[in-house]
Amino acid sequence: MSDEQQPYMREVRSFVKRSGRMTPSQAKALETQFAQYGLKLEQGLLDLTAVFGREAPLVVEIGFGMGDSLVAMAQAMPEKNFIGIEVHEPGVGRLLNNVALAGLTNVRVFCADAIKVLEQCLPAASIDTLQLFFPDPWPKKKHHKRRIVQPAFAEQLRGHLRVGGIFHMATDWQPYAEHMMEVMTAAPGYRNPLGEGQYAPQPEHRPVTKFQRRGEKLGHGVWDLMFERIS
Ligand SMILES: C[S@@+](CC[C@H](N)C(=O)[O-])C[C@H]1O[C@@H](n2cnc3c(N)ncnc32)[C@H](O)[C@@H]1O
């Protein structure tokens, strides 16, 4: 039965859990590394200083996929703390493996719905940058409600970003880029530092992601959007 047909479905989710096979090393990493780097919804509101053992600017990435770009960013910016959130278990396994291999101490990971992580675990005004790279575009009109960038999401996120913090989006799907621009331009409490309606050039600190490469092979363009919380 599809989600649409389920009579008692209460929430519209931005993801469908993919069945992707887990490699033995990803499964092992989930088993052995999650205790060290993993965070769970049941922990409730986090004390971030205790979680990382230090105070540092926090970067949160929603939907990191296989996580290679998140690991590269965490390696390049040891002065920042990173929390990755992903529901796709093989991706979480791969990230855990790579974090352990690289000996990184500035990365933690949730295997959970990011909406719930924001709601239950991340303190108000705690995030310096929220990264959302190549989120599922949900191209069919009947699925547009599943797109994670919506007015309610912008408002939920605003409470978690510190004033001056940045919501950085990227997509290879032009209609979603336009939707992001429309939603975020209308969202109270944000401004586009590049000027109204302007897309950002891909910043040097953002590595090319797996889905970006896939989009490029299909001939898609790339749109980066930055919005700053101003109030
Ligand atoms: C199209 S993929 C992009 C992956 C990666 N950012 C990249 O660019 O290669 C989108 C990812 O977002 C994840 N995702 C979607 N909604 C999510 C949510 N609410 N919480 C956590 N992960 C989510 C999906 O599982 C999927 O892996």
Side-chain angles (χ1 to χ4, degrees):
M1 195 187 264
S2 77
D3 277 349
E4 262 80 12
Q5 293 167 312
Q6 288 183 11
Y8 302 115
M9 201 191 109
R10 283 177 300 135
E11 33 185 342
V12 177
R13 294 208 179 115
S14 62
F15 58 89
V16 172
K17 267 197 150 187
R18 288 173 279 149
S19 52
R21 207 177 66 81
M22 182 111 67
T23 66
S25 88
Q26 288 162 358
K28 184 152 184 256
L30 272 174
E31 229 179 84
T32 57
Q33 308 294 349
F34 199 85
Q36 189 172 353
Y37 303 105
L39 298 169
K40 292 187 167 174
L41 289 177
E42 302 83 78
Q43 286 174 252
L45 195 63
L46 295 175
D47 173 346
L48 292 167
T49 310
V51 165
F52 287 97
R54 66 171 186 176
E55 273 180 44
L58 178 66
V59 180
V60 174
E61 181 161 336
I62 293 180
F64 57 73
M66 298 314 280
D68 295 8
S69 61
L70 177 55
V71 170
M73 289 184 82
Q75 237 167 345
M77 292 182 256
E79 73 285 2
K80 296 188 180 182
N81 292 334
F82 289 79
I83 292 180
I85 312 171
E86 177 55 71
V87 290
H88 184 54
E89 284 162 9
V92 174
R94 183 179 169 92
L95 177 94
L96 287 169
N97 235 337
N98 289 336
V99 165
L101 277 174
L104 296 178
T105 56
N106 59 338
V107 181
R108 298 292 183 275
V109 60
F110 277 97
C111 188
D113 182 346
I115 301 296
K116 295 191 173 150
V117 172
L118 285 177
E119 234 169 55
Q120 299 172 26
C121 304
L122 294 176
S126 60
I127 304 176
D128 285 79
T129 307
L130 190 290
Q131 303 184 159
L132 180 69
F133 298 155
F134 305 89
D136 301 292
W138 296 108
K140 290 184 187 161
K141 192 151 193 250
K142 66 172 181 181
H143 289 148
H144 284 182
K145 59 180 181 291
R146 285 179 169 272
R147 291 175 170 170
I148 195 166
V149 179
Q150 305 288 356
F153 176 75
E155 188 53 20
Q156 181 188 20
L157 173 61
R158 178 157 73 118
H160 293 287
L161 279 172
R162 68 171 175 78
V163 173
I166 297 287
F167 178 23
H168 180 185
M169 293 153 273
T171 181
D172 63 324
W173 189 247
Q174 187 168 5
Y176 198 9
E178 289 163 1
H179 168 87
M180 289 168 168
M181 187 62 87
E182 197 181 307
V183 168
M184 291 310 300
T185 302
Y190 289 95
R191 89 180 173 106
N192 182 344
L194 288 123
E196 195 171 319
Q198 298 300 309
Y199 294 95
Q202 177 174 340
E204 267 178 31
H205 67 258
R206 181 174 76 68
V208 171
T209 75
K210 182 176 170 191
F211 273 77
Q212 178 172 358
R213 268 194 300 278
R214 201 171 93 161
E216 279 167 356
K217 275 193 199 136
L218 294 168
H220 299 174
V222 173
W223 292 265
D224 279 75
L225 295 85
M226 306 271 184
F227 279 81
E228 178 189 356
R229 179 184 172 191
I230 51 168
S231 66

